[in-house]
Amino acid sequence: MTVLNIVQAVNHTLRDEMKRNDKIVLLGEDVGVNGGVFRATEGLFQEFGPNRVIDTPLAESGIIGVSIGMALYGLKPVPEIQFLDFIYPGFDQIQSELAKFRYRSGGQFTVPVVIRTPYGGGIRGSHYHSQSTEAFFVHTPGLKVVIPATPYDTKGLLTAALRDPDPVMFLEPKKIYRTVRGDVPDDDYMVPIGKANVARDGEDVTVFAYGAMLHVAMEAVELAAAKGINVEVVDLRTLLPFDIDTILSSVKKTGRVVIVHEACKTCGFGAEIAAQIAERALLQLKAPIVRVAGFDVPFPYVLEDEYMPNANRVLNAIEKVHNF
Amino acid sequence: MTVLNIVQAVNHTLRDEMKRNDKIVLLGEDVGVNGGVFRATEGLFQEFGPNRVIDTPLAESGIIGVSIGMALYGLKPVPEIQFLDFIYPGFDQIQSELAKFRYRSGGQFTVPVVIRTPYGGGIRGSHYHSQSTEAFFVHTPGLKVVIPATPYDTKGLLTAALRDPDPVMFLEPKKIYRTVRGDVPDDDYMVPIGKANVARDGEDVTVFAYGAMLHVAMEAVELAAAKGINVEVVDLRTLLPFDIDTILSSVKKTGRVVIVHEACKTCGFGAEIAAQIAERALLQLKAPIVRVAGFDVPFPYVLEDEYMPNANRVLNAIEKVHNF
Amino acid sequence: MTVELLQVIKPTGEYVEEIEPDISKDELRRLYRLMVLLRNLDIRGLQLQRQGRIGFFIGSLGQEACQIGSAYALKPQDWAFPAYREIGAALLRGATLKEVMNQYFANAEDLQKGRQLTNLYGLKSINFVTGSAPIATQIPHAVGTALAAKIRGDPVVTLVYFGDGATSENDFHTGMNFAGVFKTPTVFFCQNNHWAISVPVERQTSAETIAVKAKAYGFEGVRVDGNDVLAIYRTVKEAVEKARKGGGPTLIEAVTYRMGPHSSSDDPTRYRTKEELEEWQRRDPITRFRKYLEKKRIWSESDEKKAQDDANHEIDEAIAHAEKIPRPALETLFTDVYSDMPWHLEEQLRELQEEKGRKEE
Amino acid sequence: MTVELLQVIKPTGEYVEEIEPDISKDELRRLYRLMVLLRNLDIRGLQLQRQGRIGFFIGSLGQEACQIGSAYALKPQDWAFPAYREIGAALLRGATLKEVMNQYFANAEDLQKGRQLTNLYGLKSINFVTGSAPIATQIPHAVGTALAAKIRGDPVVTLVYFGDGATSENDFHTGMNFAGVFKTPTVFFCQNNHWAISVPVERQTSAETIAVKAKAYGFEGVRVDGNDVLAIYRTVKEAVEKARKGGGPTLIEAVTYRMGPHSSSDDPTRYRTKEELEEWQRRDPITRFRKYLEKKRIWSESDEKKAQDDANHEIDEAIAHAEKIPRPALETLFTDVYSDMPWHLEEQLRELQEEKGRKEE
Ligand SMILES: Cc1ncc(C[n+]2csc(CCOP(=O)(O)OP(=O)(O)O)c2C)c(N)n1
Ligand SMILES: Cc1ncc(C[n+]2csc(CCOP(=O)(O)OP(=O)(O)O)c2C)c(N)n1
Ligand SMILES: [Mg+2]
Ligand SMILES: [Mg+2]
């Protein structure tokens, strides 16, 4: 057991798996000598050398496209996109190639690339260092989409991703890169992709959240507890394929649902969860489903705190569905 | 009045507006001499010359990026992306620039570009000539997203788009480019962006649809009528900002909802509609909300008919919510 | 930087002996027969589409020398990354006509499982990577595979095919740049066939040549007559050997002409003249190669007849077979999205099966 | 293709008279003072960030000559497309320090309405287009604006700023290529400051120079000493005039050095040596220009003192003002997404206002 924060958990997991699997190659902007702008790859260039940790030219399309080519050859490339906001020059490679290679080749060619990228607000990064556009990837068959919220899950999910036969978008909540710390076993373990986690048991209301928002939800839940509302919190962890069983069994229990994400509300991942519930568990619902989400505006700068869902907004939503 | 099909309606509208507004410039791959691979711009190069209708190099990022620059200067660029599937090399320009220019410049610079692009299946185009990824744009604040389903609406909505001060994604249902014909007034008129259309009045069930799927829905509704189910059909027409009032008043009336789109189900636009209803009209719901959508797979080739929602699948859904 | 066009065989069939590559008589004949097969396949493919027997067709009429000459320069361990016209390269590397025809008919035996448009073909066993429609995306893949081989110390070269239009795309730039920076063993093979659907190459770039673009990435670009199979072979082979020795990438511009329509959906009379086409028909790569073989007295009238007959016979047989095979099973709509089918696809498959069942009742 | 580095002022302050541009004494002094202002602004900006008074900072330390020399070559009707270091160019074109400082503090008077990171600045009235963080996206914009002006027959030139790292991005390729094909009046001004955060320029490209890349697009590329304000002015002016006369685009590579950190988030000691920095400090563009002015006897010790004092005073005043202004109104979170606020943003604004109200109760 070691106490680690999230970015350290990423770093340790990469190191451990790179020792185990010499096919893993890291590549990206500033990932080598500099160890990544968030230091996620710190020390790895020094330890594994320039054939395993590669500083690339400034081109996401190249980083992802070249990773796909490496994967075709049998390596396990782990590209880092410096910020999720900067993934779009490489979006064509993700949409047209990464997600469809197995299918279109009839299973002949596979490209199990793991794209790591920090996402989300909370660092005063304005428009282009803050966005949460995970829904784009969830709407893309062929990808898996994973978002950890704790150091333990970071290691477990990243290990699972690095051993997965399919392409994985591994989105890291940069807001809590350093602020959330926790015990991480030194031994090798996996948290299975596709399984949610009931982070807190409760009876009255369910809050669904993931990534940095899990902690906002937990904060809100404590405030609610003080008001006598006993809230269950489900950390979704994998967004595609999401864990419908855990979702439905919690709804069945509480009948009241709040969904939290920092991505813009309209057509965000919360919509899918709400739609699933409206399709599969309507009769269990005792109150309208409330989404607490980022507003439908480009990510702001000065007014970031107003934009981001906070415990207060989540609490309001909990009270609303509870008192309905 | 002239009877036109949809692609003709596009062509006539472009011609009319180009005569009216000399700032309109068309650009894209094969839009000039060749008149577009679907002939949407047929004759316009010959009529307006090479400064108004521009064949570009093969680069969507350039087509959209250069359009943004033209719009900054005060022109009204109308780029054509040959297929929606090929928009991704230009996705960064849409996400990072087109959608955010007004906001990030504090309203100083505006870029009212209208991106026209055919979308959707039904032409045996396989993976890359068939996709419906409108949800990506609906999840992007700063864009408007419009999809016509009839020749009349095509002219009215495209005219509105060409006069709109904001960037518009104008997605054209290529499946019905030539198969749906209808009366189109020769005079100038607009169909307002942001307003849905009740395409058929009904009491028992509401079907929400748009684009090519409107006609599939209408077909299903006739089958349902034969079984004594009176279905209301709402053609959403604008996906962002969508017309919440029309949506809710129909739900209030029928209490039973089917949503149809050919895009993949997970995190498609139907999720947003379902979520809105689960949030705002839960108590009016008499049955679970059912989505009839494309499956969560890359767009197929031989099995296209199995992939696409058809009247039979929509009818099943109507019966399911009706008999609930 | 060579900007002249390398030519081994002149349009008359005469040839420049000093640069004539060393290929055995039998091999020369084999290459010619392949070009004939490819030409006939193209003609028949378009017919099949016109007859509604296959859904779509995209051929390589006029570009046969490019395909055969380039692929012949590779070793078995090398990888080829096609765009969408490179069936000839696949056949040369060992794909069977039967496999190719199954792909045309998108039937249950098609290794692509009927999921792709005609000619978006791939075959893992010959390192021939399944293509896709989006232009230029395969270019960084070829660079990545080459980089992977280099990292592993394997003597593998990658060859990537693309058109003149593709040079305008993002991924051309990106792929070329990564190749330059990492000195990957990659051969960039641009078939400049003068057109990108209706857009002429002058509208793609105002560079003097496409070959010169390599300079922007710090490596060499060369031009070759794209209707001269021996010149192409020679040029590609040099580039492949250089790459294998650690000399890094090369860009090859093969100057050729798309003699057919862009695809079965295209009507080239809308945008180009008959005269232009006729001019290039006079430079037909197959006629030229035949003249060369005849000059060398290794090809006769009866060889020609046999080659044509064999080709057509082989094609007939492949068609007859492929047309008999049923379409892929319903389930294949959902397999291969992931290695294992996740719950939501299982559910969707079940729904579809039930619906089909209901319908058939 | 010029690949040598054009230099007017030598590091000693001596100069090549034959190519010395014709600028009046007063103007020369004004340009120098602007460079001093910019240098001080950069130092203070970073301090403000370190003190937590502004959130972020990204400066142009060492690149002052690039900014001032290039922007000075434009006419008022011309358009400038900055990346994110070009505050000097904005000041030269007429932005006030007060406006700039309001942007640093992202306050209610900021024309960007507090929505952007420090130095992502724009000012419509001077055709200085608001920048964005994604690398290279502004390049096709500059080409589009130039093409629009050309279509309209207006004598307008566009100048676009970007770094050496940006040349690897898609949009560099795309913008350059469209400019070449459409012969747009665009000047591509690449500040090759040797680094893209921690990645050295040798890792961006293996081309000999960045200037040579223009050849891939059919136009001219030139190199200039990026620490020599007069050489830059001369080079840009020539390119601008050529463009205005219909001669099409030019790529200019200004060879300079980023003397500061990439941004306030960066620690350059992790990836580059003190020696390298010191070497470039000896080529400081401001020192060099001062020596030149002194050689020409149009600058004295007391001028210098006054310039420094004035700069600091002006900066102090702008800070004092900007810091007093409150932050932008809550409503600005929702305005300017569209020309008019649609229903869903109105609703979200209302919700936020209510929640704020509740919280304040
Ligand atoms: C990204 C993208 N944009 C547009 C298209 C449509 N398209 C298909 S082929 C083609 C022209 C390609 O020209 P070129 O690269 O010269 O290859 P050729 O067809 O001549 O072999 C176009 C525009 C596409 N497939 N992908
Ligand atoms: C598309 C994109 N990818 C990555 C980044 C992160 N990033 C910001 S600046 C920078 C380096 C830019 O280098 P260069 O173009 O040389 O400009 P300089 O900072 O040296 O002026 C990087 C990688 C970004 N802003 N945009
Ligand atoms: Mg071509
Ligand atoms: Mg730089």
Side-chain angles (χ1 to χ4, degrees), chain A residues 92 96, chain B residues 29-30 37 56-60 63 81-83 85-90 128-129, chain C residues 58-59 63 83-86 132-138 162-169 190-199 201 204 210 257-258 261-263:
Chain A
D92 188 31
S96 302
Chain B
E29 297 155 12
D30 307 293
V37 297
T56 66
L58 206 176
E60 291 71 15
I63 294 169
I81 299 299
Q82 201 161 88
F83 288 82
D85 314 69
F86 299 140
I87 206 163
Y88 304 115
Y128 301 108
H129 303 86
Chain C
I58 191 157
Q63 300 176 220
Y84 43 73
R85 301 193 188 281
E86 285 72 29
S132 66
I135 297 296
T137 49
Q138 75 278 15
F162 54 91
D164 45 311
T167 64
S168 297
E169 267 295 357
C190 178
Q191 294 174 66
N192 175 0
N193 64 5
H194 286 80
W195 292 94
I197 310 185
S198 75
V199 180
V201 64
Q204 293 301 336
I210 284 174
Y257 193 76
R258 190 194 78 212
H262 171 74
S263 75

Side-chain angles (χ1 to χ4, degrees), chain A residues 58, chain D residues 63 84-85 162-166 190-197 199 201 204 258 262:
Chain A
L58 205 176
Chain D
Q63 301 177 218
Y84 43 72
R85 302 194 189 281
F162 54 92
D164 45 312
C190 177
Q191 295 175 66
N192 175 358
N193 65 6
H194 286 80
W195 292 93
I197 310 185
V199 180
V201 64
Q204 293 301 338
R258 191 193 80 211
H262 170 75

Side-chain angles (χ1 to χ4, degrees), chain B residues 39 72 93 144 163 173 200 219 251 297 304:
Chain B
R39 311 285 175 251
L72 286 169
Q93 283 290 344
K144 294 178 178 172
R163 298 177 190 177
R200 186 185 191 279
E219 208 186 317
V251 174
V297 305
E304 173 170 34

Side-chain angles (χ1 to χ4, degrees), chain A residues 278 282-283 285, chain B residues 251-252 254-257 274 277-279 281-289:
Chain A
L282 188 79
L283 297 188
L285 278 183
Chain B
V251 174
K252 203 167 172 180
T254 65
R256 299 174 197 274
V257 175
I277 296 169
E279 187 156 356
L282 188 78
L283 297 189
Q284 273 99 56
L285 279 182
K286 301 176 195 145
I289 299 173

